Amino acid sequence: MTDDLVEELLAGKHRALARVITKIENRQPGYREIVSRLHEHTGNADVIGITGSPGAGKSTLVDKMAATYRERGLTVGVIAIDPSSPFTGGAVLGDRIRMGSNVGDMDVFFRSMSARGSLGGLSTATTDAVKALDAFGKDRIIIETVGAGQNEIDIVKMADTVAVLVPPGAGDDVQMLKAGILEIADVFAVNKADLKGADRTVQELREMIQYRQGDVSVSAGHHGPDAAIEDLDKPQGDDDGWLPPIVETVANRDEGVDEFLEALADHREYLVSAGRLAERERTRHREEIRTLLREDMSKLLEEEIEYRGGLEEYVERVRERETDPYTVSDELLGPLAECVRRKREE
Amino acid sequence: MGADQEQRTIRCLVAKVGLDGHDRGAHVISRAFRDAGFEVIYSGLHRAPEEIVQATVQEDVDVLGISILSGAHDTLVPKIIDGLEEYDAFEDTLVLVGGIIPDDDKQELKELGVAEVFGPGAPMQEMIDFVRENVPDRR
């Protein structure tokens, strides 16, 4: 069964790809084996993360990106992640509505995913879904997600290139960007650039990038203030080696999309030329392994807790002050640790 | 399935096909499905049958709910079903139709493979229960 599915996926059957992603999402039996087998076929796609505040125009831009890539003869995979209700687990996944430019084109594979509950593993599921698309042979893979919260940041960090979308006049949004998203952007797009306030937003972003580089005073000293701002238009060397360019786009009118894709390609080239792509990949795999270990470990622990009749009794004892959380943790983990150490010494 | 640790979430596509521009019903149903804990993908208005097929295949939904109020169900629904068959997606997708469907056509749609037809005034809970009971058992 899983053999067939992997074979069919590699042979380019859309249904198989869709089913594999479902298995990954549901963590159905056999999904681990599938992903393991797919791994050797991956590593050929450019993975691009797109994030930004709600209403920034992510879905529309992604739609136009996909269409432009298709014009260039490239195949595209999109994973769009939407929040789900923490109460019912239900979700309305609406990003697909904007995918109007790729009607009936199966070579744009669009998949909506919901951030299912706290059982988590969303970043694992996304990584694995990206692998499925990569192994299927997609040239470009786009991960689209709302840029709020650590979860989402973790997700886009899995991309080779991360683009952050900012709508104009977004004083508050720029504030939000400070909190963690600014740091992960390789490219900025000021979308809806035909609206009032776009220039100002570009200006604000520029200033922030300068702060981020921590070179405001330094560059002013070297080149004078005008030159410093000039330089920011194009990526060029400094400590980090890459200054995020700011591209203005009007996605719904298809303006600036080519320039945006150029900026993404430039970043890719930079990664490859400086040998940083390999470094990013290493970081990613390191993170992947650690996340997986944590998940598997906690599953093993759940098993142990279940075996001991659940957590409730411990909870009650902690509440009665008969014991404390640390002692409980030691008690539960102790045998495990002992077992591991004994094995090691053998 | 089901025996595994992670429970399965029912995924639905709520689709509007053709020129009919009334989607209040589709919105209400999307909302109700969401509140029932389903993952709902809404197609948006004025979709071509091929788009619906594309979305059904790629999203790998368990349930496809087609809302048609225009009277064009006789042409649109068969097109969608043919498309699903082309991608081997028909067999394990529960296809539902909602909207204004005359009784005679209801029978016809069911013969084509539509699992159930819901008219105006169909209780939401009835639809949710129907989906829960009839969702294809994939493994």
Side-chain angles (χ1 to χ4, degrees), chain A residues 15 22 27 91 93 114 116, chain B residues 4 39-40 58-60 92:
Chain A
R15 185 71 177 154
T22 305
R27 314 211 157 177
L93 310 172
S114 88
R116 283 182 193 170
Chain B
D4 198 46
E39 277 174 13
V40 185
Q58 295 185 347
E59 301 287 357
D60 195 22
D92 50 10

Side-chain angles (χ1 to χ4, degrees), chain A residues 13 15 18-19 22 27-28 88 90-93 96-97 103-106 108 110-112 114 116, chain B residues 1 4 6 8 11 34-35 37-40 42 47 51 54-55 57-60 87-89 92 138:
Chain A
K13 203 173 162 203
R15 185 71 177 154
R19 187 53 53 88
T22 305
R27 314 211 157 177
Q28 256 155 286
T88 64
V92 175
L93 310 172
R96 198 162 188 118
I97 298 178
V103 175
D105 180 1
M106 272 293 193
V108 176
F110 186 99
R111 181 65 176 242
S112 318
S114 88
R116 283 182 193 170
Chain B
M1 187 52 248
D4 198 46
E6 214 99 342
R8 181 172 137 204
R11 281 167 73 89
R34 185 199 71 181
D35 291 343
F38 303 170
E39 277 174 13
V40 185
Y42 176 51
R47 297 297 146 156
E51 280 177 272
Q54 185 184 11
V57 172
Q58 295 185 347
E59 301 287 357
D60 195 22
Y87 288 100
D88 294 337
D92 50 10
R138 304 162 168 180

Side-chain angles (χ1 to χ4, degrees), chain A residues 180-191:
Chain A
I181 288 204
L182 180 71
E183 292 87 336
I184 59 167
D186 300 308
V187 174
F188 284 101
V190 174
N191 194 32

Side-chain angles (χ1 to χ4, degrees), chain B residues 7-75:
Chain B
Q7 84 289 20
R8 181 172 137 204
T9 307
I10 297 177
R11 281 167 73 89
C12 313
L13 174 65
V14 174
K16 287 295 301 185
V17 239
L19 295 175
D20 144 31
H22 299 273
D23 62 352
R24 169 67 68 85
H27 283 183
V28 171
I29 283 161
S30 300
R31 185 72 192 264
F33 278 1
R34 185 199 71 181
D35 291 343
F38 303 170
E39 277 174 13
V40 185
I41 295 138
Y42 176 51
S43 71
L45 279 172
H46 307 309
R47 297 297 146 156
E50 305 85 71
E51 280 177 272
I52 303 306
V53 171
Q54 185 184 11
T56 309
V57 172
Q58 295 185 347
E59 301 287 357
D60 195 22
V61 289
D62 306 282
V63 184
L64 166 60
I66 310 168
S67 158
I68 306 183
L69 301 167
S70 65
H73 47 269
D74 281 347
T75 40

Side-chain angles (χ1 to χ4, degrees), chain B residues 81-99:
Chain B
I81 287 177
D82 286 351
L84 293 181
E85 272 170 345
E86 191 187 324
Y87 288 100
D88 294 337
F90 176 63
E91 231 169 76
D92 50 10
T93 306
L94 185 72
V95 181
L96 307 176
V97 172

